[in-house]
Amino acid sequence: MAEIRLDRVTRTFGAVVAVDSVSLEIEDREFLVLLGPSGCGKSTVLRLIAGLERPSAGTVYIAGRDVTGVAPRDRDLAMVFQSYALYPHMSVFDNIAFGIRRRDLSRHELKEAVNATARRLGIDGLLDRRPGQLSGGQRQRVALARAIVRRPVAFLMDEPLSNLDAKLRVQTRRELARLHEDLQTTTVYVTHDQVEAMTLGQRVAIIAAGRLQQVGRPQDVYDRPANLFVAGFIGSPPMNIVPLERTATGFQSAGGEIHVDGAHVPPGAPETLALGFRPEALQIGVPEGPAAIAFSAPLLVAEHLGAQVNLECAAGGASFVAVAPGHVRATPGESIPFWCAPGDLHFFDTRTGERLP
Ligand code: ATP
């Protein structure tokens, strides 16, 4: 088991800066998720840790040792990919055993290790089959078993659930969380799916355009996004963002519908700023407590999801979304009163995108 540290690691491919001076510390036994949109550089970060890519600048440490120039096979890490990367001509048993082929184990020890790992993942009945005779979910379990049987210092997982259908994804996600609970092995997990990141990660590192945007516990990142990118990426539906301009008494949206009293805005705010409020923080009706914003807006579309309804409404020449309980009914064009408590507002500097303290 080991901690992993990246110190100002950069990786360029020609003119493309895939990873831009990323410094990140993953603690021993931690489950850290690298989250970001397609092309943001998260797989490259994982490959830099694995040793499959060499940094253009910066240093990678594993368990305190500088491994920047160390070959992948000498890093004692196990990778799990979206594509499973199983050997089609080998049985499930041999695919799992492949992970420990270089160890000096007796036939009996090898069998014991493979059987125990297969049992742990519920695939011990499939050991004689070939990968082609398995479902996608079973194949992913074999890939996981091959990683686990090695007892590596850390697991590196690149979108391992992407090829599974929605139901199996949720089930396998929970199994992964339980496995980590059990094995306590340092894990770095790459995904573009914020639900996966929030549910699996002890901490989440959000990346955009090769740069680290924020690292923190999922709830902290949700509660206090460091910038507009994170605010829009964490949470579903995403946080509503409305540009505001200064008035005599505070700030207001372009059409004047939304007004925030200066007392609720962080001191030293610039002339223009972006107001953020989460769809689930908007309340419907007359304020039942201290309100920092209260306004009415016409409904554009109502999306009924059973447990909740997403109300898309118009304000300030743009639209925003409110999440209401599933039983709420409203018709397009109807004006709906909303309010939001002071603690539920977020403010960002429009020029830099950074959160105002
Ligand atoms: P995805 O979720 O789509 O896999 P990602 O966030 O994992 O994306 P990376 O695969 O790390 O992104 O790629 C980051 C950037 O680096 C992209 O612009 C990609 O095109 C570029 N890139 C990655 N590998 C190479 C390579 N071998 N040669 C040239 N460019 C590359």
PDB file of all heavy atoms in Angstrom, residues 35-37 40 206-209 211 213-214 225-234 238 241 348 352-354:
ATOM      1  N   LEU A  35     -11.945  13.400 -12.105  1.00  0.00           N
ATOM      2  CA  LEU A  35     -13.197  13.662 -12.816  1.00  0.00           C
ATOM      3  C   LEU A  35     -13.027  14.821 -13.782  1.00  0.00           C
ATOM      4  O   LEU A  35     -12.426  15.845 -13.423  1.00  0.00           O
ATOM      5  CB  LEU A  35     -14.276  14.010 -11.779  1.00  0.00           C
ATOM      6  CG  LEU A  35     -15.630  14.481 -12.304  1.00  0.00           C
ATOM      7  CD1 LEU A  35     -16.376  13.349 -12.982  1.00  0.00           C
ATOM      8  CD2 LEU A  35     -16.477  15.044 -11.158  1.00  0.00           C
ATOM      9  N   GLY A  36     -13.557  14.667 -14.985  1.00  0.00           N
ATOM     10  CA  GLY A  36     -13.506  15.788 -15.925  1.00  0.00           C
ATOM     11  C   GLY A  36     -14.119  15.385 -17.245  1.00  0.00           C
ATOM     12  O   GLY A  36     -14.342  14.198 -17.502  1.00  0.00           O
ATOM     13  N   PRO A  37     -14.393  16.357 -18.111  1.00  0.00           N
ATOM     14  CA  PRO A  37     -15.012  16.046 -19.397  1.00  0.00           C
ATOM     15  C   PRO A  37     -14.025  15.347 -20.327  1.00  0.00           C
ATOM     16  O   PRO A  37     -12.818  15.320 -20.068  1.00  0.00           O
ATOM     17  CB  PRO A  37     -15.378  17.431 -19.949  1.00  0.00           C
ATOM     18  CG  PRO A  37     -14.438  18.373 -19.279  1.00  0.00           C
ATOM     19  CD  PRO A  37     -14.115  17.795 -17.944  1.00  0.00           C
ATOM     20  N   CYS A  40      -9.997  16.103 -21.171  1.00  0.00           N
ATOM     21  CA  CYS A  40      -9.438  17.053 -20.191  1.00  0.00           C
ATOM     22  C   CYS A  40      -8.064  16.622 -19.690  1.00  0.00           C
ATOM     23  O   CYS A  40      -7.370  17.385 -19.030  1.00  0.00           O
ATOM     24  CB  CYS A  40     -10.385  17.220 -19.002  1.00  0.00           C
ATOM     25  SG  CYS A  40     -10.426  15.782 -17.917  1.00  0.00           S
ATOM     26  N   ILE A 206     -11.044  17.427  -9.716  1.00  0.00           N
ATOM     27  CA  ILE A 206     -11.720  17.832 -10.958  1.00  0.00           C
ATOM     28  C   ILE A 206     -10.708  18.495 -11.884  1.00  0.00           C
ATOM     29  O   ILE A 206      -9.981  19.406 -11.473  1.00  0.00           O
ATOM     30  CB  ILE A 206     -12.898  18.776 -10.657  1.00  0.00           C
ATOM     31  CG1 ILE A 206     -13.920  18.013  -9.817  1.00  0.00           C
ATOM     32  CG2 ILE A 206     -13.565  19.270 -11.936  1.00  0.00           C
ATOM     33  CD1 ILE A 206     -14.327  18.690  -8.594  1.00  0.00           C
ATOM     34  N   ILE A 207     -10.675  18.007 -13.130  1.00  0.00           N
ATOM     35  CA  ILE A 207      -9.709  18.496 -14.115  1.00  0.00           C
ATOM     36  C   ILE A 207     -10.445  19.096 -15.304  1.00  0.00           C
ATOM     37  O   ILE A 207     -11.470  18.557 -15.742  1.00  0.00           O
ATOM     38  CB  ILE A 207      -8.809  17.337 -14.614  1.00  0.00           C
ATOM     39  CG1 ILE A 207      -8.134  16.662 -13.423  1.00  0.00           C
ATOM     40  CG2 ILE A 207      -7.765  17.816 -15.607  1.00  0.00           C
ATOM     41  CD1 ILE A 207      -7.235  15.519 -13.799  1.00  0.00           C
ATOM     42  N   ALA A 208      -9.944  20.210 -15.807  1.00  0.00           N
ATOM     43  CA  ALA A 208     -10.459  20.786 -17.059  1.00  0.00           C
ATOM     44  C   ALA A 208      -9.265  21.300 -17.834  1.00  0.00           C
ATOM     45  O   ALA A 208      -8.387  21.954 -17.265  1.00  0.00           O
ATOM     46  CB  ALA A 208     -11.433  21.926 -16.774  1.00  0.00           C
ATOM     47  N   ALA A 209      -9.226  20.998 -19.129  1.00  0.00           N
ATOM     48  CA  ALA A 209      -8.156  21.457 -20.017  1.00  0.00           C
ATOM     49  C   ALA A 209      -6.772  21.215 -19.414  1.00  0.00           C
ATOM     50  O   ALA A 209      -5.908  22.092 -19.456  1.00  0.00           O
ATOM     51  CB  ALA A 209      -8.360  22.939 -20.346  1.00  0.00           C
ATOM     52  N   ARG A 211      -5.762  21.082 -16.436  1.00  0.00           N
ATOM     53  CA  ARG A 211      -5.436  21.735 -15.155  1.00  0.00           C
ATOM     54  C   ARG A 211      -6.362  21.256 -14.046  1.00  0.00           C
ATOM     55  O   ARG A 211      -7.567  21.063 -14.263  1.00  0.00           O
ATOM     56  CB  ARG A 211      -5.583  23.249 -15.273  1.00  0.00           C
ATOM     57  CG  ARG A 211      -4.706  23.846 -16.349  1.00  0.00           C
ATOM     58  CD  ARG A 211      -4.573  25.311 -16.112  1.00  0.00           C
ATOM     59  NE  ARG A 211      -3.658  25.540 -15.001  1.00  0.00           N
ATOM     60  CZ  ARG A 211      -2.564  26.282 -15.087  1.00  0.00           C
ATOM     61  NH1 ARG A 211      -2.243  26.853 -16.211  1.00  0.00           N
ATOM     62  NH2 ARG A 211      -1.791  26.447 -14.039  1.00  0.00           N
ATOM     63  N   GLN A 213      -8.687  21.710 -11.122  1.00  0.00           N
ATOM     64  CA  GLN A 213      -9.581  22.809 -10.749  1.00  0.00           C
ATOM     65  C   GLN A 213      -9.856  22.840  -9.251  1.00  0.00           C
ATOM     66  O   GLN A 213      -9.941  23.893  -8.641  1.00  0.00           O
ATOM     67  CB  GLN A 213     -10.919  22.669 -11.489  1.00  0.00           C
ATOM     68  CG  GLN A 213     -10.792  22.582 -12.996  1.00  0.00           C
ATOM     69  CD  GLN A 213     -10.321  23.896 -13.587  1.00  0.00           C
ATOM     70  OE1 GLN A 213     -10.811  24.961 -13.246  1.00  0.00           O
ATOM     71  NE2 GLN A 213      -9.345  23.827 -14.472  1.00  0.00           N
ATOM     72  N   GLN A 214     -10.047  21.666  -8.679  1.00  0.00           N
ATOM     73  CA  GLN A 214     -10.361  21.582  -7.248  1.00  0.00           C
ATOM     74  C   GLN A 214     -10.183  20.146  -6.795  1.00  0.00           C
ATOM     75  O   GLN A 214     -10.463  19.209  -7.554  1.00  0.00           O
ATOM     76  CB  GLN A 214     -11.820  22.018  -7.010  1.00  0.00           C
ATOM     77  CG  GLN A 214     -12.189  22.124  -5.540  1.00  0.00           C
ATOM     78  CD  GLN A 214     -13.555  22.785  -5.326  1.00  0.00           C
ATOM     79  OE1 GLN A 214     -14.293  23.040  -6.273  1.00  0.00           O
ATOM     80  NE2 GLN A 214     -13.884  23.057  -4.075  1.00  0.00           N
ATOM     81  N   PRO A 225     -18.094  24.927  -4.581  1.00  0.00           N
ATOM     82  CA  PRO A 225     -17.281  24.797  -5.810  1.00  0.00           C
ATOM     83  C   PRO A 225     -16.311  25.970  -5.931  1.00  0.00           C
ATOM     84  O   PRO A 225     -16.688  27.116  -5.694  1.00  0.00           O
ATOM     85  CB  PRO A 225     -18.317  24.795  -6.934  1.00  0.00           C
ATOM     86  CG  PRO A 225     -19.585  25.298  -6.341  1.00  0.00           C
ATOM     87  CD  PRO A 225     -19.535  25.038  -4.881  1.00  0.00           C
ATOM     88  N   ALA A 226     -15.064  25.648  -6.292  1.00  0.00           N
ATOM     89  CA  ALA A 226     -14.006  26.674  -6.302  1.00  0.00           C
ATOM     90  C   ALA A 226     -14.134  27.649  -7.455  1.00  0.00           C
ATOM     91  O   ALA A 226     -13.601  28.749  -7.384  1.00  0.00           O
ATOM     92  CB  ALA A 226     -12.637  25.989  -6.366  1.00  0.00           C
ATOM     93  N   ASN A 227     -14.804  27.241  -8.534  1.00  0.00           N
ATOM     94  CA  ASN A 227     -14.946  28.142  -9.678  1.00  0.00           C
ATOM     95  C   ASN A 227     -16.171  27.759 -10.502  1.00  0.00           C
ATOM     96  O   ASN A 227     -16.870  26.779 -10.191  1.00  0.00           O
ATOM     97  CB  ASN A 227     -13.664  28.141 -10.522  1.00  0.00           C
ATOM     98  CG  ASN A 227     -13.305  26.742 -11.009  1.00  0.00           C
ATOM     99  OD1 ASN A 227     -14.197  25.948 -11.308  1.00  0.00           O
ATOM    100  ND2 ASN A 227     -12.023  26.431 -11.085  1.00  0.00           N
ATOM    101  N   LEU A 228     -16.415  28.530 -11.543  1.00  0.00           N
ATOM    102  CA  LEU A 228     -17.617  28.312 -12.362  1.00  0.00           C
ATOM    103  C   LEU A 228     -17.602  26.960 -13.051  1.00  0.00           C
ATOM    104  O   LEU A 228     -18.642  26.328 -13.214  1.00  0.00           O
ATOM    105  CB  LEU A 228     -17.726  29.427 -13.414  1.00  0.00           C
ATOM    106  CG  LEU A 228     -18.282  30.758 -12.912  1.00  0.00           C
ATOM    107  CD1 LEU A 228     -18.105  31.841 -13.983  1.00  0.00           C
ATOM    108  CD2 LEU A 228     -19.760  30.617 -12.545  1.00  0.00           C
ATOM    109  N   PHE A 229     -16.400  26.489 -13.438  1.00  0.00           N
ATOM    110  CA  PHE A 229     -16.340  25.185 -14.104  1.00  0.00           C
ATOM    111  C   PHE A 229     -16.845  24.086 -13.163  1.00  0.00           C
ATOM    112  O   PHE A 229     -17.699  23.274 -13.534  1.00  0.00           O
ATOM    113  CB  PHE A 229     -14.912  24.858 -14.576  1.00  0.00           C
ATOM    114  CG  PHE A 229     -14.863  23.501 -15.207  1.00  0.00           C
ATOM    115  CD1 PHE A 229     -15.206  23.343 -16.543  1.00  0.00           C
ATOM    116  CD2 PHE A 229     -14.540  22.381 -14.451  1.00  0.00           C
ATOM    117  CE1 PHE A 229     -15.226  22.084 -17.113  1.00  0.00           C
ATOM    118  CE2 PHE A 229     -14.556  21.112 -15.022  1.00  0.00           C
ATOM    119  CZ  PHE A 229     -14.893  20.970 -16.354  1.00  0.00           C
ATOM    120  N   VAL A 230     -16.322  24.066 -11.958  1.00  0.00           N
ATOM    121  CA  VAL A 230     -16.715  23.025 -10.989  1.00  0.00           C
ATOM    122  C   VAL A 230     -18.204  23.170 -10.647  1.00  0.00           C
ATOM    123  O   VAL A 230     -18.936  22.182 -10.544  1.00  0.00           O
ATOM    124  CB  VAL A 230     -15.846  23.099  -9.714  1.00  0.00           C
ATOM    125  CG1 VAL A 230     -16.305  22.072  -8.691  1.00  0.00           C
ATOM    126  CG2 VAL A 230     -14.374  22.886 -10.065  1.00  0.00           C
ATOM    127  N   ALA A 231     -18.658  24.421 -10.510  1.00  0.00           N
ATOM    128  CA  ALA A 231     -20.069  24.664 -10.184  1.00  0.00           C
ATOM    129  C   ALA A 231     -20.978  24.050 -11.248  1.00  0.00           C
ATOM    130  O   ALA A 231     -22.018  23.472 -10.942  1.00  0.00           O
ATOM    131  CB  ALA A 231     -20.324  26.165 -10.086  1.00  0.00           C
ATOM    132  N   GLY A 232     -20.554  24.132 -12.499  1.00  0.00           N
ATOM    133  CA  GLY A 232     -21.375  23.603 -13.584  1.00  0.00           C
ATOM    134  C   GLY A 232     -21.191  22.120 -13.809  1.00  0.00           C
ATOM    135  O   GLY A 232     -21.995  21.490 -14.499  1.00  0.00           O
ATOM    136  N   PHE A 233     -20.148  21.550 -13.247  1.00  0.00           N
ATOM    137  CA  PHE A 233     -19.834  20.142 -13.526  1.00  0.00           C
ATOM    138  C   PHE A 233     -20.343  19.197 -12.444  1.00  0.00           C
ATOM    139  O   PHE A 233     -20.705  18.065 -12.723  1.00  0.00           O
ATOM    140  CB  PHE A 233     -18.317  19.976 -13.694  1.00  0.00           C
ATOM    141  CG  PHE A 233     -17.956  18.782 -14.516  1.00  0.00           C
ATOM    142  CD1 PHE A 233     -18.127  18.802 -15.892  1.00  0.00           C
ATOM    143  CD2 PHE A 233     -17.457  17.634 -13.927  1.00  0.00           C
ATOM    144  CE1 PHE A 233     -17.821  17.702 -16.658  1.00  0.00           C
ATOM    145  CE2 PHE A 233     -17.138  16.525 -14.689  1.00  0.00           C
ATOM    146  CZ  PHE A 233     -17.318  16.557 -16.059  1.00  0.00           C
ATOM    147  N   ILE A 234     -20.354  19.666 -11.200  1.00  0.00           N
ATOM    148  CA  ILE A 234     -20.792  18.822 -10.072  1.00  0.00           C
ATOM    149  C   ILE A 234     -22.232  19.171  -9.762  1.00  0.00           C
ATOM    150  O   ILE A 234     -22.552  20.328  -9.479  1.00  0.00           O
ATOM    151  CB  ILE A 234     -19.915  19.084  -8.823  1.00  0.00           C
ATOM    152  CG1 ILE A 234     -18.459  18.713  -9.098  1.00  0.00           C
ATOM    153  CG2 ILE A 234     -20.467  18.393  -7.603  1.00  0.00           C
ATOM    154  CD1 ILE A 234     -18.133  17.269  -8.951  1.00  0.00           C
ATOM    155  N   PRO A 238     -27.243  20.825 -13.329  1.00  0.00           N
ATOM    156  CA  PRO A 238     -26.151  21.673 -12.832  1.00  0.00           C
ATOM    157  C   PRO A 238     -26.636  22.948 -12.157  1.00  0.00           C
ATOM    158  O   PRO A 238     -27.799  23.331 -12.289  1.00  0.00           O
ATOM    159  CB  PRO A 238     -25.367  22.006 -14.097  1.00  0.00           C
ATOM    160  CG  PRO A 238     -26.262  21.720 -15.231  1.00  0.00           C
ATOM    161  CD  PRO A 238     -27.275  20.724 -14.788  1.00  0.00           C
ATOM    162  N   ILE A 241     -26.590  29.596 -13.178  1.00  0.00           N
ATOM    163  CA  ILE A 241     -25.671  30.729 -13.108  1.00  0.00           C
ATOM    164  C   ILE A 241     -26.346  31.938 -13.773  1.00  0.00           C
ATOM    165  O   ILE A 241     -26.789  31.845 -14.921  1.00  0.00           O
ATOM    166  CB  ILE A 241     -24.347  30.424 -13.860  1.00  0.00           C
ATOM    167  CG1 ILE A 241     -23.674  29.169 -13.279  1.00  0.00           C
ATOM    168  CG2 ILE A 241     -23.411  31.634 -13.837  1.00  0.00           C
ATOM    169  CD1 ILE A 241     -23.099  29.309 -11.894  1.00  0.00           C
ATOM    170  N   PHE A 348     -19.434  34.214  -7.942  1.00  0.00           N
ATOM    171  CA  PHE A 348     -18.185  34.010  -8.680  1.00  0.00           C
ATOM    172  C   PHE A 348     -17.808  35.306  -9.390  1.00  0.00           C
ATOM    173  O   PHE A 348     -18.683  36.066  -9.823  1.00  0.00           O
ATOM    174  CB  PHE A 348     -18.357  32.898  -9.720  1.00  0.00           C
ATOM    175  CG  PHE A 348     -18.815  31.593  -9.125  1.00  0.00           C
ATOM    176  CD1 PHE A 348     -20.172  31.288  -9.025  1.00  0.00           C
ATOM    177  CD2 PHE A 348     -17.891  30.675  -8.640  1.00  0.00           C
ATOM    178  CE1 PHE A 348     -20.597  30.094  -8.456  1.00  0.00           C
ATOM    179  CE2 PHE A 348     -18.309  29.480  -8.068  1.00  0.00           C
ATOM    180  CZ  PHE A 348     -19.665  29.185  -7.979  1.00  0.00           C
ATOM    181  N   THR A 352     -12.612  36.016 -13.787  1.00  0.00           N
ATOM    182  CA  THR A 352     -11.675  34.926 -13.513  1.00  0.00           C
ATOM    183  C   THR A 352     -12.390  33.585 -13.375  1.00  0.00           C
ATOM    184  O   THR A 352     -11.763  32.531 -13.474  1.00  0.00           O
ATOM    185  CB  THR A 352     -10.931  35.180 -12.190  1.00  0.00           C
ATOM    186  OG1 THR A 352     -11.918  35.230 -11.138  1.00  0.00           O
ATOM    187  CG2 THR A 352     -10.162  36.478 -12.222  1.00  0.00           C
ATOM    188  N   GLY A 353     -13.683  33.612 -13.124  1.00  0.00           N
ATOM    189  CA  GLY A 353     -14.434  32.381 -12.887  1.00  0.00           C
ATOM    190  C   GLY A 353     -14.290  31.871 -11.455  1.00  0.00           C
ATOM    191  O   GLY A 353     -14.935  30.900 -11.066  1.00  0.00           O
ATOM    192  N   GLU A 354     -13.456  32.538 -10.649  1.00  0.00           N
ATOM    193  CA  GLU A 354     -13.180  32.043  -9.286  1.00  0.00           C
ATOM    194  C   GLU A 354     -14.319  32.378  -8.328  1.00  0.00           C
ATOM    195  O   GLU A 354     -14.976  33.412  -8.458  1.00  0.00           O
ATOM    196  CB  GLU A 354     -11.891  32.672  -8.752  1.00  0.00           C
ATOM    197  CG  GLU A 354     -10.637  32.295  -9.514  1.00  0.00           C
ATOM    198  CD  GLU A 354     -10.354  30.798  -9.478  1.00  0.00           C
ATOM    199  OE1 GLU A 354     -10.360  30.214  -8.386  1.00  0.00           O
ATOM    200  OE2 GLU A 354     -10.145  30.218 -10.564  1.00  0.00           O
TER     201      GLU A 354
END
